Amino acid sequence: KENQLARVHGIWGLGQIKAAKSISPLLGDSDEEIVAQSAKVLGDLLDASAAEKLLPLVPSSNPRVSFFASQALGRIQSEKAIPALLKQIETNADKDLYIRHAAVLALSRIGKAEPLLALQNSPNRSLRIAAVLVLRRLAHPGIQAFLADSDEYIVAEAARAINDDESIPGALAA
């Protein structure tokens, strides 16, 4: 308990031998870095049994805990995490781009477009931006709805998503 670095190395070692059941209790540790590293390793192990313990960590005031919990939930594709991730995006309000990235990547890995398409008329700009970013990663043609957004930045991001890289053929006509 005294040496944080030794504990972190212990978590990594447990991850290498895939001892998720030994790591999961550490999500309730008093040391936030231990919680963050535990969440990261459980996500790396794709341990879906940890989802219920990871969910309350998403809104953590500690950015590392929030980041790694979000990433882990995305890696295990926990659909139950969608509301918490959207709330995180809304609360963050694009202040911390790493937190936004964690939530967007998690939502992309979960792969459900419907909750994001429903954000088309949201009054919250951060949620609409995140929806475009996720739909881009999903190459979902529904992204074309954001071409009619009142915010020029969101329209431009939607247009780039549709046209850039390998494009989204189903939305090119729009």
Side-chain angles (χ1 to χ4, degrees), residues 25-44:
L26 297 173
L27 292 174
D29 199 89
S30 60
D31 184 332
E32 290 182 319
E33 186 57 26
I34 297 302
V35 175
Q37 291 300 316
S38 299
K40 179 190 183 305
V41 171
L42 288 167
D44 291 345

Side-chain angles (χ1 to χ4, degrees), residues 78-79 81-90 100-147 149 154 158:
S78 172
E79 290 182 35
I82 294 172
L85 293 166
L86 292 175
K87 184 68 177 167
Q88 179 188 49
I89 290 166
E90 185 176 22
R100 180 178 77 183
H101 169 73
V104 164
L105 187 56
L107 289 164
S108 300
R109 287 175 170 162
I110 293 167
K112 296 292 178 190
E114 296 77 21
L116 301 152
L117 293 167
L119 296 172
Q120 173 189 350
N121 296 316
S122 171
N124 187 295
R125 181 178 190 262
S126 298
L127 286 172
R128 295 192 324 273
I129 291 170
V132 168
L133 295 173
V134 174
L135 292 168
R136 177 183 191 146
R137 286 181 165 273
L138 297 177
H140 195 284
I143 196 171
Q144 66 187 320
F146 291 88
L147 292 172
D149 198 278
I154 293 171

Side-chain angles (χ1 to χ4, degrees), residues 7 11 20 22-32 34-43 47 49-57 65 68-69 72:
R7 294 183 75 204
I11 293 165
S22 297
I23 300 169
S24 189
L26 297 173
L27 292 174
D29 199 89
S30 60
D31 184 332
E32 290 182 319
I34 297 302
V35 175
Q37 291 300 316
S38 299
K40 179 190 183 305
V41 171
L42 288 167
D47 181 31
S49 70
E52 293 301 320
K53 289 184 177 180
L54 288 165
L55 275 170
L57 300 177
V65 170
F68 287 122

